[in-house]
Amino acid sequence: GLVWMFSSEQARNSLPPAAEVNRPASDFALPSLGGGEIRLAEHRGKVVLLNFWYTGCAPCREETPALQAAYSRLAGQGLQIIGVNVRQNERNGPDGEADIQRFIDQYKVSYPIALDVDSQVDRDYQVYVLPTSVMIDRNGNVRYLLFSAITTQDVEALFNKLQQEPSALR
């Protein structure tokens, strides 16, 4: 009994504090920073991390290097990060887009940035605090919600857990 208790405690401690859910992810098509469009459905078959953020958010600035590190390390294994900028929190017009671009350049972000111009995706995913990260499995289901700045290790732990699950897409 003691071994079981210890091993289940170890397994529990290896994952970051996250709300576990299992519901279909709301599809979206949003304009991409720099032009074009980002569609969630185009990433089916990958583990997707949606990260809701804005440039004036201190915890967002804190976690961006960790997200970029996780993306650099895991993109080749099937992780897709999409930064969803909550555009209404930025300055209006081209000045706000310039602020976002400066942020992306400063942190050397290479994952795509979607602009949630009318906050519809923000509402669809019930984002109440920033940053919020949403982990979506390969089948397109929201599995984990994280409501604070996350680390590279957090992303890796959740990605690895979702990658280990059997998938109908394989």
Side-chain angles (χ1 to χ4, degrees):
L2 197 55
V3 171
W4 174 82
M5 201 170 76
F6 178 76
S7 62
S8 64
E9 188 66 27
Q10 281 295 110
R12 220 179 2 265
N13 287 339
S14 64
L15 290 178
E20 282 191 60
V21 294
N22 191 4
R23 63 172 186 258
S26 297
D27 195 17
F28 61 80
L30 289 173
S32 175
L33 184 66
E37 190 174 69
I38 296 172
R39 292 182 170 280
L40 180 60
E42 291 175 0
H43 301 288
R44 185 65 68 91
K46 292 184 172 187
V47 171
V48 178
L49 187 157
L50 299 180
N51 177 253
F52 292 85
W53 67 281
Y54 73 103
T55 59
C57 160
C60 301
R61 290 192 301 272
E62 175 189 317
E63 77 177 352
T64 298
L67 290 170
Q68 179 56 46
Y71 184 68
S72 295
R73 194 173 302 160
L74 300 171
Q77 297 173 46
L79 175 68
Q80 179 62 60
I81 295 178
I82 300 172
V84 180
N85 177 268
V86 181
R87 188 66 179 84
Q88 73 180 18
N89 289 1
E90 306 290 353
R91 294 192 293 170
N92 289 329
D95 290 343
E97 293 206 8
D99 294 342
I100 297 166
Q101 188 61 58
R102 269 193 297 282
F103 183 97
I104 295 310
D105 293 345
Q106 176 184 350
Y107 290 103
K108 299 175 178 55
V109 172
S110 63
Y111 51 84
I113 301 298
L115 302 175
D116 191 8
V117 179
D118 62 5
S119 293
Q120 185 59 52
V121 176
D122 181 31
R123 285 190 297 277
D124 288 348
Y125 281 87
Q126 301 172 355
V127 174
Y128 300 112
V129 298
L130 294 173
T132 290
S133 291
V134 177
M135 293 288 292
I136 301 170
D137 69 19
R138 295 176 303 207
N139 294 318
N141 294 307
V142 173
R143 298 293 303 282
Y144 296 102
L145 304 171
L146 299 105
F147 304 107
S148 62
I150 58 177
T151 67
T152 303
Q153 292 76 18
D154 293 341
V155 175
E156 288 177 344
L158 293 172
F159 172 77
N160 290 332
K161 178 153 176 39
L162 292 175
Q163 281 291 83
Q164 290 168 5
E165 293 181 354
S167 171
L169 297 173
R170 283 196 159 173

